[in-house]
Amino acid sequence: QVQLVESGGGLVQAGGSLRLSCAASGRTFSSYAMGWFRQAPGKEREIVAAISWSGGSTYYADSVKGRFTISRDNAKNTVYLRLNSLKPEDTAVYYCAARKGTVVVPRTRYEYEYWGQGTQVTVSS
């Protein structure tokens, strides 16, 4: 069982930056692939970025490539998402998710087993 707690969301102007954090409980965090998803009102939850258990492989949605960076610190049981050059269309609730024991970085919501409660990111124009 893994419990995930996101933090770092907030209100920012377009062009600004934020860093989201997701702290995980448990002693086996390093064996989990991690993902960041987002869900805007009236829209489906979509993947933003994902990272393998080792940090050696990453995946980014086309809409955030070059602007967002996912990273992890297994010693701190934490995964991060750096959001740069934010746009109003990035406004959403951002969720982190965990999937145990996979070599390939999971890219769909259905592949993840554990979810955090979400943190709101609002980008004003």
Side-chain angles (χ1 to χ4, degrees):
Q1 188 81 12
V2 175
Q3 292 185 326
L4 305 171
V5 179
E6 302 97 334
S7 61
L11 173 64
V12 63
Q13 289 187 330
S17 298
L18 285 173
R19 189 180 79 158
L20 307 183
S21 299
C22 174
S25 65
R27 289 176 287 183
T28 59
F29 173 75
S30 60
S31 64
Y32 285 79
M34 301 296 295
W36 283 97
F37 290 74
R38 67 185 180 187
Q39 188 167 17
K43 294 190 176 182
E44 294 284 321
R45 189 171 299 188
E46 63 177 2
I47 191 166
V48 175
I51 189 167
S52 63
W53 63 270
S54 67
S57 297
T58 57
Y59 168 80
Y60 294 94
D62 288 343
S63 58
V64 307
K65 278 182 183 176
R67 300 189 299 122
F68 292 7
T69 303
I70 189 170
S71 62
R72 67 189 296 160
D73 185 339
N74 287 342
K76 294 183 178 180
N77 281 15
T78 303
V79 62
Y80 304 97
L81 185 68
R82 179 70 180 182
L83 295 69
N84 291 332
S85 303
L86 281 161
K87 304 175 182 180
E89 52 263 43
D90 295 317
T91 295
V93 177
Y94 283 70
Y95 300 89
C96 71
R99 163 68 188 267
K100 186 174 175 61
T102 177
V103 175
V104 177
V105 176
R107 300 183 180 188
T108 71
R109 59 182 294 188
Y110 308 104
E111 298 177 82
Y112 286 85
E113 302 168 280
Y114 303 102
W115 293 84
Q117 83 289 349
T119 185
Q120 176 71 46
V121 171
T122 303
V123 184
S124 63
S125 58

